[in-house]
Amino acid sequence: MIDIHTHILPHIDDGAANSAVSVSILEKELSQGVTQVVLTSHYYGKRRSPQQFLERRNEAYQKIKNKIPAGISVRLGAEIHFTGMNMPDFEELCELSIEGTKYILIELPFTTAWRGDLLQCLSDFIYDSGYTPIIAHVERYQEVWKNPALVNELIEMGCLIQINAESLFRGREKKLVLKLLEHGQVHCIGSDTHDTENRAPNLAKAKTWFEKRKLGKTWETLQGNMQCVLDDELVERPKTKPVKKFLWAYV
């Protein structure tokens, strides 16, 4: 299995507090059958430049590099908070892509409105750079709760869509994730793990969820998509119908 969204590097964001926790998370990943992990520490442009982030990320990686359990491989990446305002130039952003690929994990604003220029900036980034954004935990954004058709718009723009495994088991987010899966609008799944307790790795639990609902083929498709990402190959995005909201239900 592949975990494409994690916060395992120590002392760099709100993830692992130290190297021992980092190694413990990786051991839990391996015990669940995860063999490839992308280390996607948060990048917030206001706090540091991409170069400063890369330097700090490398320092964090060096602390665990020789402690990574045998049987698991890691890639460096970042989860980039993309606001459309005061952003680094696109060339600098590309340096934060998933190592060895032209895929890049993007986090959009959680609670503030997505103004037209935000999505336009994202579209410009795709067109100008040739890189493919993977929209992190799309089911957690208030704008998507209000207007789930935005997910289809992001896909048509050229993005891939990632969900968090934990959202399969949580009320409001679960309802949206179920409908996105039904519409074929999920391409990747990640644990978004931060520690070994409150936000521990959970992809084995997610796999069981898919299998119990006879969605094993969907699970394999998600894994295949993520392998394509790591191999820097094209991920197919079949045309889909938008999810719509009717009163409190998604249809």
Side-chain angles (χ1 to χ4, degrees):
M1 287 192 288
I2 297 168
D3 194 350
I4 203 165
H5 183 172
T6 71
H7 298 273
I8 295 176
L9 287 177
H11 303 296
I12 190 170
D13 59 10
D14 59 342
N18 53 56
S19 299
V21 174
S22 299
V23 174
S24 293
I25 297 173
L26 288 169
E27 289 173 344
K28 283 183 176 291
E29 294 268 29
L30 186 60
S31 72
Q32 294 179 21
V34 176
T35 58
Q36 298 181 82
V37 174
V38 186
L39 307 175
T40 53
S41 303
H42 284 292
Y43 170 74
Y44 297 105
K46 291 183 179 180
R47 297 184 181 178
R48 59 181 66 91
S49 69
Q51 186 57 43
Q52 289 171 324
F53 171 83
L54 290 172
E55 291 172 359
R56 189 174 179 192
R57 187 185 69 180
N58 184 60
E59 291 173 1
Y61 175 60
Q62 293 304 318
K63 292 177 181 178
I64 67 167
K65 181 179 179 180
N66 296 323
K67 302 176 183 179
I68 296 171
I72 198 164
S73 63
V74 302
R75 298 276 190 102
L76 296 174
E79 181 182 7
I80 300 163
H81 189 57
F82 196 99
T83 65
M85 298 187 299
N86 302 318
M87 300 287 296
D89 64 44
F90 292 163
E91 185 174 346
E92 288 182 301
L93 283 182
C94 291
E95 295 179 8
L96 307 182
S97 63
I98 294 173
E99 183 181 355
T101 81
K102 297 184 76 172
Y103 290 92
I104 187 164
L105 188 67
I106 296 291
E107 177 185 72
L108 297 174
F110 280 94
T111 58
T112 57
W114 296 357
R115 303 175 320 279
D117 56 345
L118 170 64
L119 296 184
Q120 184 59 55
C121 184
L122 186 60
S123 178
D124 290 344
F125 170 75
I126 296 169
Y127 181 81
D128 291 348
S129 70
Y131 279 60
T132 299
I134 302 172
I135 305 301
H137 42 57
V138 76
E139 74 281 4
R140 295 180 62 193
Y141 304 123
Q142 287 189 12
E143 288 294 281
V144 174
W145 294 350
K146 292 185 293 185
N147 180 17
L150 282 171
V151 177
N152 197 64
E153 185 175 338
L154 288 166
I155 294 170
E156 291 185 344
M157 184 187 297
C159 300
L160 299 180
I161 302 300
Q162 180 250 313
I163 60 168
N164 281 359
E166 187 62 29
S167 296
L168 297 168
F169 311 100
R170 293 202 300 212
R172 185 173 191 173
E173 294 170 4
K174 176 181 177 180
K175 293 178 182 178
L176 178 55
V177 164
L178 285 170
K179 194 55 63 174
L180 292 174
L181 285 167
E182 183 181 314
H183 281 239
Q185 294 185 347
V186 178
H187 307 104
C188 305
I189 187 168
S191 71
D192 197 3
T193 181
H194 282 59
D195 52 46
T196 57
E197 297 179 3
N198 297 321
R199 300 182 71 175
N202 55 4
L203 289 183
K205 182 181 178 182
K207 181 181 180 182
T208 298
W209 183 94
F210 277 84
E211 291 173 345
K212 284 184 176 179
R213 287 157 182 79
K214 301 187 185 304
L215 295 173
K217 288 185 178 180
T218 301
W219 175 262
E220 292 302 323
T221 296
L222 299 181
Q223 293 296 313
N225 289 342
M226 293 187 291
Q227 188 62 61
C228 285
V229 169
L230 297 186
D231 293 341
D232 201 25
E233 296 176 352
L234 178 68
V235 175
E236 297 293 337
R237 292 184 290 264
K239 189 173 181 61
T240 60
K241 293 183 179 180
V243 175
K244 298 181 180 180
K245 187 175 183 181
F246 180 72
L247 297 178
W248 300 106
Y250 298 111
V251 296

